[in-house]
Amino acid sequence: MDRIPSDIEVAVRAVGESSKGYAGELSAVYRRARRRRRTHRAAAALTAVAVAAGLVGGFAVRHQVKARPFQPAVDRVPATQRLLLSHADGRYVLAQGHGETVVLNAAEQVGELGPDDRLVTHPVRSGARYEKTVGLPDGRLVSLGPRDNTDGVLVTDDAMLLTVDTPGGATLQRDVRRAGEPVSLLSADATTAYLWRPEGIAAYDLASGLERLVMSSDSLELPADDPAAAVDAADLLGDRLVIAGENRSCRPLLLNLPALQALRFLPLTELGCRWVEGLRLSPSTGRVAVTYRVKPGALRVAVLSTEDGAVLADREVATLDGKVLDVTVDVAWQDERTVRGVVVPRSAGVQILRSFTIAS
């Protein structure tokens, strides 16, 4: 009996499930604005990229989309992940009652919720304004952002500074921009920063500055001019990549990087997902924490098994009221089974930071 090949079947399903809601609703406007801030692209360019992404139909790896039996990632020693506040800019107090008000100016400080639930700040190093910061277990911070004119000096270049900040040590900054090309930070580990380039995901060696291509935009079926703009969320840890494409946000795809293989989809459609805002792989990559919206004012965090896509936990963590314009939810793994998170409101005045934990 004739059968449709598995790789074609997976790709066709990805296209069939790529329908999107009305792009003009307020929540979608906020969502696009956040993406523009991250990538610093013009609105017209983003629109063109989104259309291109819709035409290619998703993120099934070309010639490698067949779902394969799960092979555990390389062994790792589980470590507590650091919980950085990605878009905090204002005055905050913790709901847990430490009392003090902490001021976070995005041009001057990066906030972090420590293991003891105290809010600590890290300085933004001279000349940069960070778009994303990754905290490493050894205390270092790896950040990427444009050169800023916070000292009142007119800046005329388009430099994008990759900053490696070592507590009590030297700060390393390099301009990783290429003329006319977008660049953004995907993730980082002890030796490497993973960058979104037009050609795909590049591994940038922190010590030498040498760079190599890990996975191409073409193999991910992402637009070659700015692949990151067509991605709602992604995370890379060890040899695993999980990615939620803009046109199929609620069905993140798990990939094996060395083999260039698509392992499986991790669907949240039955949970009422509208779109995904964040992905965080556990230290062993056996689980993934997914921040998603079920409606414009409601955010949830689900924990899925990367072995079979089973939903291990699901919880509402934030609901907007009339006083708050929007919120950001940041998460990190306390251990292999426990997710820590914090809800960061975006509004005027002193805002309350609410932390949470989810066991799976």
Side-chain angles (χ1 to χ4, degrees):
M1 178 178 179
D2 293 337
R3 298 182 62 185
I4 299 175
S6 297
D7 55 347
I8 298 177
E9 181 181 359
V10 172
V12 170
R13 286 180 179 175
V15 174
E17 294 170 0
S18 64
S19 59
K20 299 169 61 178
Y22 172 52
E25 62 183 13
L26 182 59
S27 58
V29 172
Y30 282 136
R31 180 186 178 206
R32 292 193 298 273
R34 285 194 294 272
R35 188 177 299 110
R36 284 195 292 269
R37 289 197 298 272
R38 292 198 302 267
T39 59
H40 282 253
R41 310 293 178 260
L46 283 179
T47 302
V49 170
V51 171
L55 291 176
V56 299
F59 295 90
V61 179
R62 288 184 178 177
H63 311 303
Q64 298 285 352
V65 295
K66 184 177 180 179
R68 300 171 185 270
F70 180 75
Q71 298 176 352
V74 295
D75 291 338
R76 302 180 186 87
V77 177
T80 298
Q81 296 175 348
R82 296 171 64 182
L83 183 51
L84 279 292
L85 279 57
S86 57
H87 297 292
D89 192 356
R91 294 180 295 160
Y92 300 98
V93 62
L94 283 166
Q96 282 68 18
H98 290 295
E100 68 273 15
T101 298
V102 176
V103 178
L104 291 174
N105 182 332
E108 299 177 0
Q109 302 101 4
V110 175
E112 177 177 4
L113 192 65
D116 59 355
D117 276 341
R118 289 186 179 274
L119 185 60
V120 297
T121 62
H122 305 281
V124 173
R125 295 305 178 185
S126 176
R129 184 182 180 94
Y130 301 158
E131 290 185 352
K132 182 172 180 176
T133 299
V134 178
L136 302 182
D138 62 9
R140 288 180 297 164
L141 296 176
V142 179
S143 308
L144 182 69
R147 197 188 305 276
D148 201 8
N149 61 346
T150 53
D151 296 328
V153 179
L154 180 63
V155 176
T156 57
D157 61 26
D158 295 320
M160 289 293 287
L161 300 178
L162 182 70
T163 303
V164 182
D165 186 11
T166 303
T171 297
L172 173 66
Q173 284 187 324
R174 291 194 183 102
D175 182 7
V176 296
R177 175 192 64 94
R178 297 173 183 168
E181 292 185 1
V183 59
S184 58
L185 179 62
L186 169 57
S187 67
D189 59 29
T191 61
T192 308
Y194 294 93
L195 305 176
W196 282 111
R197 297 280 195 186
E199 61 266 29
I201 299 172
Y204 183 95
D205 186 85
L206 296 178
S208 67
L210 297 177
E211 190 170 318
R212 62 183 176 84
L213 186 64
V214 174
M215 183 169 281
S216 70
S217 299
D218 182 67
S219 68
L220 290 169
E221 296 194 356
L222 290 172
D225 53 352
D226 189 359
V231 174
D232 279 347
D235 192 25
L236 189 158
L237 181 60
D239 57 9
R240 294 292 188 262
L241 168 68
V242 61
I243 184 168
E246 184 183 45
N247 64 335
R248 200 194 61 251
S249 188
C250 292
R251 286 177 57 84
L253 182 64
L254 181 71
L255 301 108
N256 180 319
L257 283 177
L260 300 180
Q261 294 175 353
L263 297 176
R264 62 187 41 81
F265 292 115
L266 304 171
L268 297 99
T269 48
E270 293 186 0
L271 301 179
C273 172
R274 293 279 297 278
W275 69 82
V276 167
E277 292 197 348
L279 295 164
R280 193 81 186 260
L281 287 162
S282 67
S284 74
T285 70
R287 288 169 164 80
V288 61
V290 187
T291 304
Y292 69 100
R293 298 210 182 208
V294 294
K295 56 184 178 181
L299 282 88
R300 303 183 68 90
V301 173
V303 176
L304 276 66
S305 166
T306 57
E307 181 174 355
D308 55 14
V311 178
L312 305 177
D314 181 37
R315 172 179 164 183
E316 183 176 276
V317 296
T319 302
L320 297 185
D321 57 31
K323 298 179 181 179
V324 177
L325 295 176
D326 202 2
V327 298
T328 300
V329 175
D330 294 298
V331 300
W333 287 87
Q334 180 174 308
D335 53 47
E336 186 59 28
R337 294 179 177 273
T338 309
V339 175
R340 297 176 65 228
V342 60
V343 179
V344 183
R346 184 173 66 86
S347 191
V350 178
Q351 297 299 310
I352 297 175
L353 297 178
R354 301 186 184 278
S355 64
F356 59 88
T357 59
I358 300 175
S360 60

